[in-house]
Structure formats: C-alpha cells, structure tokens
Amino acid sequence: MTDRSLYVSSAGVLRRGWTDGMVRELLGLPDVQGRDPRRWSPAPLRLYRLARVEALERTPEFASVAARARAAGSAPGLRAAVAGRAARRRDAVLAAVRAEPIEVPLLPPAELDRRAARYRRLLAARAPAGAVPVGPPARWRVAYLRQCLARYDSLLDGLYGGTGRREAERLLRRRVYGAIAAAYPALAPECARRLALEDR
C-alpha cells in the first residue's frame, strides 16, 4: 500500500501553483498511477513523490517555467485557446462515449447469481464491518455487472473536473446501465434506481 503522506495528487500539485503544462514539462509521468482503492472514481489516481515535487520547486528551471506560465496565463488569447482545447477534448470524449459499443457479459441466471455473490463476499472481506450494504439480489447482480464494465471508465481519461467531466460521466452511466437493462430486462428497475441515485 502506498504511504499517501509521501505523495501529492495531481490536484495537490495544482494547488501548489503548478499548471498542467508545468506538470507535463517538469514532472512528466506520475510516480504512482491507478484506481483509488478508498473510493470509486472513473478518473485515474495520479500521485507524485512529494520530495521530487519540492526539489523541483527549488530549481531555477522551475522558476523560469513558472514565470513563463504566469506571463502566458495573463494573455487573453491564450485563455481562449486553452478553453477551446478543453471544449474540443470534451467533445471528442463525448463522441467516443456515444460511439463505443457497450458489451455486457451474458450469463445464465445461476452463474450471474454465483458471481454476484462472490463479488459481494470480496467487497465485504475488504471493507470495515457494516460498510458493505445489504440488499436484494438484483442490487448485487447489477453491482457485479457494473464492475465488469468498469473498463469503459477509461473513455473519460483526459477530462478533469468541470462540466465536461460531469456530462461525460452522466452519459457513460446512462449507456452502461442502459446496456445492462437491455441485456437483463429483469434488472431494469435496479438499473433505473442506481442511475437516479448516481445522477443526483
């Protein structure tokens, strides 16, 4: 398990005064990347070693890049260009989410029940006592199928925060739960319930 006190997240680096461009230019690839085990999120977790970040902040190269970023950020044309790039990236991700075929595994009812029960036991084993909610079998069937389709969350990579991210997440949720409901019509009410909860 990574000791989080020794690392700073992407958002933490930005709060320290870095820009996305500075992170790409000076820090490069994160030291740790993956999914946050403490909470579900479609965005990948990116962590940078705090010692490396602090060491770079003391270099003349950092001061030079930071000064360039401040000067560029004050130019109104650059802000419009950055906003345009973000809008194009959001539009490209939305188009990819709309076009990607969602392939739900088709399982016999007994096999789906067996896998859903195993998934629930795995979650219960990893969570503190009482943290895994109980519920009807349909809830665990849908939870298992949603977990099987988590690979589609990578379609959202490259969108960070803001309206574009929320819009893309909502569209992906609707497509995934719609595909589960189409493949397993008996699970449609549970898909609708989860969608209503997650869209709030």
Side-chain angles (χ1 to χ4, degrees):
M1 183 72 126
T2 301
D3 182 354
R4 290 290 293 271
S5 65
L6 302 177
Y7 292 85
V8 62
S9 67
S10 301
V13 172
L14 297 179
R15 281 194 298 272
R16 294 174 70 93
W18 292 63
T19 65
D20 288 329
M22 292 165 66
V23 170
R24 281 192 301 275
E25 185 175 339
L26 297 174
L27 282 172
L29 294 174
D31 297 300
V32 175
Q33 182 169 336
R35 299 287 174 197
D36 190 340
R38 297 179 304 172
R39 65 181 180 87
W40 182 87
S41 172
L45 177 68
R46 294 178 174 89
L47 297 176
Y48 299 89
R49 274 193 355 266
L50 184 57
R52 184 163 73 101
V53 172
E54 290 173 340
L56 275 167
E57 288 173 344
R58 292 189 292 268
T59 64
E61 184 182 9
F62 176 83
S64 169
V65 171
R68 274 197 334 260
R70 279 193 299 276
S74 63
L78 181 67
R79 282 195 295 273
V82 168
R85 275 197 308 272
R88 285 191 297 278
R89 185 168 54 235
R90 182 200 67 220
D91 292 345
V93 168
L94 287 171
V97 169
R98 283 187 194 100
E100 186 72 20
I102 308 291
E103 298 175 7
V104 180
L106 298 174
L107 302 168
E111 179 64 14
L112 178 58
D113 285 347
R114 189 181 69 75
R115 291 185 186 195
R118 186 175 65 193
Y119 176 64
R120 182 177 185 278
R121 284 193 304 273
L122 285 172
L123 287 182
R126 283 189 268 164
V132 176
V134 295
R139 190 167 297 175
W140 289 102
R141 292 177 193 127
V142 172
Y144 167 73
L145 291 167
R146 176 63 185 95
Q147 180 267 334
C148 288
L149 302 176
R151 66 184 180 276
Y152 293 104
D153 295 340
S154 65
L155 292 169
L156 304 177
D157 289 352
L159 285 181
Y160 307 104
T163 306
R165 174 88 192 186
R166 285 191 298 274
E167 183 182 357
E169 287 173 350
R170 188 175 298 116
L171 176 61
L172 182 60
R173 270 195 304 272
R174 289 183 177 159
R175 293 221 48 228
V176 166
Y177 286 128
I180 293 171
Y184 298 92
L187 299 178
E190 176 60 20
C191 289
R193 185 193 72 81
R194 289 175 68 104
L195 194 54
L197 280 174
E198 292 175 25
D199 268 354
R200 283 196 295 202

